[in-house]
Amino acid sequence: MKILDGKATSAALKADIRAEVEAIVAAGGRAPHLAAILVGDNGASVTYVNNKVKSCHEVGFKSSLIKFPESVTEEELLAKITELNADPTIDGFIVQLPLPRHINEQLITESIAPEKDVDGFHPVNMGALALGQGQLVPATPAGIIEMLERYDIPTEGRHAVVVGRSNIVGIPVSLLLSGKYKKGNCTVTICHSKTQNLPEITRQADILVAAIGVPHFITADMVKEGATVIDVGITRVADESKKCGFSIKGDVDYDAVAPKCEYITPVPGGVGPMTIAMLMKNTLTAMKIRQDKK
Ligand code: GUN
């Protein structure tokens, strides 16, 4: 069993990005600029956004954090998005999800200019991904593919089973694994809450992606001997032994499943750090795409 170390892999990727940014700046260019909009004070969202800002500094990007109270109106949020869309000094921006219930997430996502949508959630970017032309690809799925690439894990012709069909992970990772992409060309099965005989299907997986959001949902009996298991879960579970009062649990029962695997991602320290590194990569890509169009 080998661990897919997201911490080390993301550090290597961020070092590559930093070197590229330094070369751009040395040649007279400017550093990429990422903006993040944060609404309210949801603990997990605050942590994620702070980590995104910290990563910007690590790779030499400029960053802007724009905070709104929970009570912000849809109009106020849309006005800020219109401003960021038009601002030539901003290469990409994200609106951290989830948003309060009075705000239509779909409307917000669709109001971001596709060329600045470094989350890759806009229908134009998701459509391009489905057509095999993805450039701004959602960061978590892109991070999974990057890890398969850096560990040289074969995908072509293999059976990948994805559990979960979210717009953020399940659907885009299925498109990447099945498409004509590097580390694509898998046969992909997508499972979800209505799937029957789930363990029978997951046991067929050469590559199993767990993106359900239910701690320790994937048990040892659901995994084939020698599989590669990618755990996307990051649920906060109350834990009095921790200073912060919670611990992070993955979707995979790691201790029981790991001995059966060829490769497995730990939680924390697996997919999570890769997601942020890929957001940085997308921001650099967004800057290059816009500059090429000029
Ligand atoms: N909430 C959970 N994951 C994400 C993500 O990748 N991007 C944004 N904007 N919000 C999220």
Side-chain angles (χ1 to χ4, degrees), residues 52 94-98 119 121 168 275:
K52 289 169 186 179
I94 63 143
V95 179
Q96 187 65 29
L97 305 176
D119 262 331
F121 296 162
I168 293 182
T275 296

Side-chain angles (χ1 to χ4, degrees), residues 15-279:
D16 291 349
I17 295 170
R18 187 178 178 91
E20 195 171 338
V21 171
E22 281 170 357
I24 291 169
V25 172
R30 61 170 182 81
H33 184 178
L34 173 70
I37 297 179
L38 174 65
V39 177
D41 53 7
N42 173 290
S45 291
V46 170
T47 304
Y48 297 150
V49 168
N50 285 341
N51 285 338
K52 289 169 186 179
V53 169
K54 187 169 147 239
S55 286
C56 280
H57 292 294
E58 286 169 8
V59 298
F61 289 6
K62 197 171 168 208
S63 68
S64 297
L65 174 54
I66 301 152
K67 290 184 187 174
F68 286 103
E70 187 88 10
S71 58
V72 68
T73 64
E74 211 166 73
E75 289 69 32
E76 286 169 315
L77 214 44
L78 287 170
K80 178 52 77 176
I81 290 170
T82 302
E83 186 189 313
L84 295 175
N85 282 341
D87 184 342
T89 69
I90 299 281
D91 297 295
F93 65 99
I94 63 143
V95 179
Q96 187 65 29
L97 305 176
L99 291 168
R101 288 173 57 151
H102 65 278
I103 294 182
N104 181 340
E105 265 182 21
Q106 192 64 25
L107 180 71
I108 296 298
T109 301
E110 291 182 15
S111 69
I112 298 173
E115 68 273 18
K116 293 194 178 186
D117 166 39
V118 285
D119 262 331
F121 296 162
H122 192 286
V124 164
N125 286 320
M126 289 291 259
L129 177 59
L131 296 172
Q133 296 156 11
Q135 282 188 301
L136 296 177
V137 175
T140 301
I144 293 170
I145 299 295
E146 184 78 19
M147 207 133 61
L148 294 175
E149 227 174 289
R150 290 192 180 231
Y151 280 86
D152 203 20
I153 295 168
T155 56
E156 191 169 309
R158 299 180 87 201
H159 189 186
V161 175
V162 177
V163 189
R165 55 178 161 181
S166 69
N167 291 342
I168 293 182
V169 183
I171 297 297
V173 82
S174 304
L175 291 169
L176 286 166
L177 287 167
S178 61
K180 289 181 189 167
Y181 288 105
K182 247 198 313 187
K183 293 299 160 194
N185 293 306
C186 285
T187 302
V188 175
T189 304
I190 306 174
C191 301
H192 44 74
S193 54
K194 303 284 188 280
T195 297
Q196 294 180 357
N197 307 324
L198 180 67
E200 217 170 274
I201 300 169
T202 57
R203 273 197 295 272
Q204 295 171 33
D206 300 310
I207 298 167
L208 179 61
V209 180
I212 316 129
V214 179
H216 293 190
F217 182 86
I218 302 289
T219 47
D221 60 303
M222 298 169 79
V223 178
K224 178 166 80 173
E225 200 71 45
T228 290
V229 173
I230 310 288
D231 188 349
V232 185
I234 40 162
T235 308
R236 289 182 170 200
V237 177
D239 183 348
E240 284 176 10
S241 72
K242 293 270 157 60
K243 214 167 87 184
C244 58
F246 63 85
S247 53
I248 304 287
K249 291 258 183 292
D251 287 350
V252 176
D253 182 2
Y254 184 90
D255 290 341
V257 169
K260 297 184 84 172
C261 297
E262 183 175 10
Y263 291 98
I264 186 165
T265 60
V267 175
V271 172
M274 290 304 294
T275 296
I276 296 192
M278 295 313 287
L279 176 67

